[in-house]
């Protein structure tokens, strides 16, 4: 039942990834799991906004998102500024592989990070909203409710862990390095 939520989280990260990459990708052929975790935390308020926008007519007034959604999202939103650097590195590490390749990476690298951020946010939210099927709204809400007790950092780390353990290769994750 959690698959739709994880799939949509992955779709959001993939949408984020579809934007940029210069110096980091040239230096390594994999993405750091910490950057995947940061991108997950960064994107969660955008994912929630896409979800509630798409599913607002399907959400019960006494359901999780209507009663606790704001508090859930607020925990992630307060970390967005802190997690942006990792999310941005993830973006940069994929731009060369996306449509436009090197020129896109070069363009992104030459823009101030903060000027790219609103553009990235809009793309993530739109791409995720496009992927959500209204028939899955209740299932997705159930998955969000099950994940809600996790601290945001654990949610990001959990997604990176699941991707690593399941052998996801797009993106190719760097090997886990215990700290």
């Amino acid at each position: 039942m959690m698959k739709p939520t994880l799939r949509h989280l992955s779709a959001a990260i993939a949408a984020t990834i579809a934007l940029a990459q210069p110096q980091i990708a040239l230096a390594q052929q994999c993405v750091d799991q910490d950057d995947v975790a940061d991108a997950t935390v960064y994107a969660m308020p955008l994912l929630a906004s896409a979800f509630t926008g798409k599913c607002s007519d399907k959400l019960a007034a006494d359901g999780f998102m209507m009663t606790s959604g704001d508090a859930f999202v607020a925990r992630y939103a307060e970390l967005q500024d802190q997690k942006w650097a990792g999310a941005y590195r993830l973006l940069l590490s994929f731009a060369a592989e996306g449509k436009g390749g090197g020129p896109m990476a070069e363009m992104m690298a030459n823009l101030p990070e903060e000027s790219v951020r609103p553009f990235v946010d809009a793309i993530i939210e739109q791409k995720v909203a496009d992927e959500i099927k209204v028939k899955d709204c209740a299932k997705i809400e159930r998955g969000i409710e099950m994940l809600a007790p996790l601290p945001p950092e654990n949610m990001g780390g959990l997604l990176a862990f699941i991707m690593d353990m399941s052998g996801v290769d797009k993106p190719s994750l760097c090997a886990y390095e215990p700290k």
Side-chain angles (χ1 to χ4, degrees):
M1 291 287 173
M2 290 177 22
K3 279 189 177 181
T5 301
L6 293 174
R7 182 175 49 115
H8 291 120
L9 285 173
S10 296
I13 290 171
T16 304
I17 287 168
L19 296 174
Q21 186 233 351
Q23 58 273 39
I24 294 175
L26 297 175
Q28 67 185 48
Q29 298 298 314
C30 60
V31 295
D32 189 294
Q33 292 189 33
D34 288 339
D35 290 346
V36 171
D38 285 353
T40 302
V41 172
Y42 179 82
M44 189 60 74
L46 306 168
L47 304 177
S49 178
F51 170 72
T52 55
K54 184 79 172 240
C55 295
S56 62
D57 294 344
K58 301 292 180 189
L59 300 176
D62 62 348
F64 177 78
M65 289 305 287
M66 298 305 272
T67 61
S68 303
D70 289 343
F72 168 72
V73 171
R75 295 182 0 224
Y76 289 85
E78 69 186 31
L79 295 172
Q80 276 188 307
D81 289 343
Q82 174 185 335
K83 300 300 183 181
W84 168 246
Y88 186 68
R89 280 191 302 272
L90 187 66
L91 287 171
L92 292 178
S93 69
F94 280 91
E97 293 178 23
K99 296 176 185 173
M104 176 64 85
E106 189 174 328
M107 178 191 77
M108 296 294 288
N110 289 325
L111 293 172
E113 282 183 39
E114 289 306 313
S115 68
V116 173
R117 191 170 166 176
F119 176 69
V120 169
D121 291 359
I123 289 174
I124 291 171
E125 194 168 334
Q126 182 60 49
K127 292 285 187 186
V128 171
D130 289 349
E131 291 293 318
I132 294 172
K133 293 174 180 51
V134 175
K135 69 178 181 66
D136 292 333
C137 291
K139 293 178 192 177
I140 295 168
E141 183 174 31
R142 179 174 178 243
I144 293 169
E145 184 174 9
M146 286 188 282
L147 295 170
L150 288 176
E153 293 83 356
N154 288 36
M155 181 59 217
L158 178 61
L159 181 62
F161 170 76
I162 290 170
M163 291 172 66
D164 187 24
M165 293 302 292
S166 62
V168 170
D169 61 358
K170 294 194 188 276
S172 175
L173 299 177
C174 298
Y176 172 71
E177 298 289 331
K179 296 179 184 194

